[in-house]
Amino acid sequence: MNTSTTAATPGPDFPQTMGHPRPLWMLFMTEFWERFAFYGIRWALVLYIVSEFYGGSPTGEQSAGFTYGAYLALVYAAAIFGGYVADKIIGYQRSILLGAVIMSAGLFMIAWPNQQIFMLGLATVIAGNGLFKPIISTMVGKLYAAADERRDSGFTIFYMGINLGAMVAPLLTGVLANRVFGTTAMPAYKYVFIASGIGMLLSFVWFWFGRRQLGAIGLPPASASNARMAMVVVGALAAIPGFYFLLSLGAEALAWPLGLLFVALSVLLLVEGIRDGAVARDRVIAMLIIFVFNVLFWCFFEQAGSSFTFLADKIVDRNLGGWEFPTAWFQSVNSVAIIVFAPILAWVWVRLGRANPSIPRKFGLGLIFNGLAFMLLWFALSQLVSDAGKIPFWTLVMVYVLQSVGELCLSPIGLSMVTKLAPARLVGFGMGGWFLSTGIGNNISGIFAGLISGTGGMTTGSALHGYTIGFWILAGGGVLLFLIAPLIAKLMHGVK
């Protein structure tokens, strides 16, 4: 799987728009609508499962958390195989188009009020996302020569497309569910999924008409044929029942195959590193250690789409002067915070110069900021609960802001780190390890959310207990990573 953009060959001499190759803006909008679709359903999934399949009973919260965690984990795991398909079989352009069609079909399916069709729809989204997710950012890199000084700026613009889509989606889908087609008491969740499906179709249409701007970039390999394309279509459709089966296992059972896959991938990387000598071996060890802490970060960060949603819906005081703040809109805080703080943090890293923290210490900062978010919840749930059993609105907003700062310390450097530390012949597998560690973290996030809700649903007491544990784990992990950072840096042999 070729997800590294640093080795991209120079593309054609594209016409320029606002100082960048014109296709960048087409890819920007393609990704905007794909992220709109992905984040459009994120806030509603667990609420919909409880409402539709458990009659609104809090006893369904644990099962919803398990399903949500398994879904996210499989989204990331599927990306490992999708990248290979695009690289070796059908090319980037066809992979994006096919992935978009399959994803949109899945999004429309989950709007059908039937639990089996809902799960099959999620499985279909996973299959399509695997073909789409790892590809489009690779194409951005191919618009620039390796030494082009505009590369970082181009990726920053593209990253804004991701966050704008993620910001707009909950705002619009929340209004559709709670104001246009439903009410706060009885949200019309199916219109959330329909709107997301339309967003994915817009992504498809945008790329279909805009792909001519790319010239030869992302076209199928010379060996590709219509028969190969048909084979991939059949393979993707055949994978859907497999994803359905894995989803039906839930996050707890899925943890075992994901863990075994991670161990196998780690052994493969380590063996290759040993073959390449002591330096390569040490760098693989450093990378694998950081992968473990990456699991820890995403386990708690992804409470945003599961337990934090129940917290916002049941325990946060959303009444602002007589107007009730929609639960869905909390999901947009992360994107707003990323857009606001990304340039600030980038300036801080440059300003620090030689004092700029090492990669392990930036990861440690990510864990610590995530831990501070859980410390705020610990404080709010123990000291700020009103007589009505609610915590103040601002506390959950600040939780998302703190987590976003943590994300900025960790996430942007992850893929770059892998390209520098993985054995030269297995960079694709190294990327697979990054995606898989993120997926495992997401899977555990569902298990943790299910434990907070328990069999009877989330209460102030269960939330306090769970989030207190979350704080201590994150704080301990962050401090430990800071302490062993010099050892990891030594293993990295000069990689910055």
Side-chain angles (χ1 to χ4, degrees):
M1 180 178 66
N2 180 18
T3 50
S4 171
T5 58
T6 57
T9 55
D13 186 16
F14 292 110
Q16 304 294 296
T17 300
M18 298 177 64
H20 287 273
R22 188 170 296 166
L24 173 67
W25 306 99
M26 181 272 294
L27 295 175
F28 173 99
M29 288 305 301
T30 301
E31 181 69 353
F32 171 92
W33 285 114
E34 189 275 331
R35 290 292 88 183
F36 175 93
F38 186 84
Y39 283 94
I41 70 171
R42 186 183 186 221
W43 72 270
L45 277 177
V46 293
L47 296 174
Y48 175 76
I49 291 171
V50 171
S51 173
E52 188 65 37
F53 307 133
Y54 291 88
S57 170
T59 58
E61 290 180 13
Q62 185 175 75
S63 177
F66 290 168
T67 300
Y68 178 78
Y71 161 71
L72 284 182
L74 291 170
V75 161
Y76 281 94
I80 301 172
F81 305 102
Y84 178 84
V85 168
D87 267 344
K88 304 297 184 183
I89 303 177
I90 61 173
Y92 296 151
Q93 293 189 23
R94 287 183 174 182
S95 184
I96 288 173
L97 291 169
L98 178 59
V101 169
I102 295 174
M103 285 176 68
S104 60
L107 290 165
F108 287 122
M109 287 170 68
I110 63 177
W112 192 265
N114 177 280
Q115 191 164 9
Q116 283 68 44
I117 295 177
F118 172 80
M119 296 290 281
L120 195 61
L122 284 182
T124 305
V125 172
I126 291 166
N129 198 272
L131 290 166
F132 193 108
K133 183 178 179 62
I135 306 307
I136 193 162
S137 58
T138 305
M139 295 190 71
V140 172
K142 290 183 176 293
L143 300 179
Y144 301 89
D148 194 324
E149 295 179 351
R150 300 172 301 165
R151 284 174 63 87
D152 287 348
S153 175
F155 272 100
T156 300
I157 292 170
F158 182 73
Y159 194 57
M160 290 302 103
I162 293 173
N163 283 284
L164 285 172
M167 178 184 71
V168 171
L171 300 178
L172 178 58
T173 57
V175 168
L176 291 176
N178 296 322
R179 300 286 188 271
V180 178
F181 296 106
T183 64
T184 303
M186 295 188 65
Y189 293 116
K190 71 175 183 179
Y191 292 100
V192 174
F193 308 139
I194 291 171
S196 297
I198 292 171
M200 199 63 239
L201 286 178
L202 288 172
S203 179
F204 170 84
V205 170
W206 207 282
F207 188 79
W208 175 269
F209 287 104
R211 72 190 195 283
R212 295 176 181 83
Q213 301 175 25
L214 293 166
I217 290 179
L219 289 178
S223 59
S225 64
N226 289 335
R228 283 196 169 196
M229 183 66 183
M231 179 181 69
V232 170
V233 172
V234 171
L237 295 177
I240 292 172
F243 289 131
Y244 175 89
F245 170 74
L246 292 171
L247 270 176
S248 65
L249 294 177
E252 287 187 309
L254 188 59
W256 290 103
L258 288 175
L260 291 173
L261 183 60
F262 182 76
V263 169
L265 189 145
S266 299
V267 170
L268 183 65
L269 288 168
L270 193 55
V271 168
E272 184 69 19
I274 291 171
R275 287 175 180 168
D276 288 348
V279 171
R281 176 203 63 202
D282 290 351
R283 286 176 174 172
V284 169
I285 293 171
M287 182 176 68
L288 294 177
I289 292 172
I290 291 176
F291 281 175
V292 172
F293 286 97
N294 189 51
V295 169
L296 183 61
F297 178 87
W298 293 106
C299 165
F300 294 101
F301 182 89
E302 266 306 329
Q303 296 306 304
S306 51
S307 74
F308 286 0
T309 300
F310 292 127
L311 183 77
D313 195 54
K314 300 170 68 173
I315 298 175
V316 173
D317 183 3
R318 294 181 285 115
N319 191 308
L320 304 178
W323 175 72
E324 188 170 69
F325 186 88
T327 299
W329 288 14
F330 283 106
Q331 299 288 326
S332 295
V333 176
N334 171 250
S335 299
V336 173
I338 292 290
I339 292 169
V340 171
F341 287 103
I344 296 173
L345 211 56
W347 176 83
V348 168
W349 300 145
V350 173
R351 186 71 175 173
L352 287 173
R354 288 191 170 185
N356 192 0
S358 65
I359 289 175
R361 286 203 163 136
K362 282 181 179 174
F363 267 72
L365 285 171
L367 289 169
I368 288 170
F369 272 102
N370 202 353
L372 289 174
F374 279 78
M375 185 175 72
L376 177 56
L377 285 174
W378 175 16
F379 174 73
L381 289 163
S382 61
Q383 303 296 326
L384 303 180
V385 180
S386 68
D387 292 339
K390 305 282 188 177
I391 61 173
F393 168 83
W394 66 267
T395 56
L396 186 55
V397 172
M398 284 306 302
V399 163
Y400 279 105
V401 171
L402 288 167
Q403 283 196 319
S404 300
V405 175
E407 180 187 1
L408 286 169
C409 292
L410 178 147
S411 188
I413 64 171
L415 293 177
S416 175
M417 173 202 71
V418 171
T419 63
K420 298 171 184 177
L421 296 180
R425 291 188 296 273
L426 290 181
V427 173
F429 278 98
M431 290 293 182
W434 170 261
F435 282 124
L436 186 58
S437 67
T438 303
I440 291 171
N442 288 331
N443 190 62
I444 299 173
S445 78
I447 298 172
F448 185 74
L451 293 176
I452 291 175
S453 289
T455 57
M458 178 183 284
T459 63
T460 303
S462 70
L464 173 60
H465 177 72
Y467 296 146
T468 302
I469 292 173
F471 162 70
W472 286 113
I473 293 174
L474 285 166
V479 170
L480 175 62
L481 190 50
F482 255 81
L483 291 175
I484 65 173
L487 171 62
I488 299 175
K490 185 177 180 180
L491 290 169
M492 292 167 70
H493 290 278
V495 169
K496 302 293 184 182

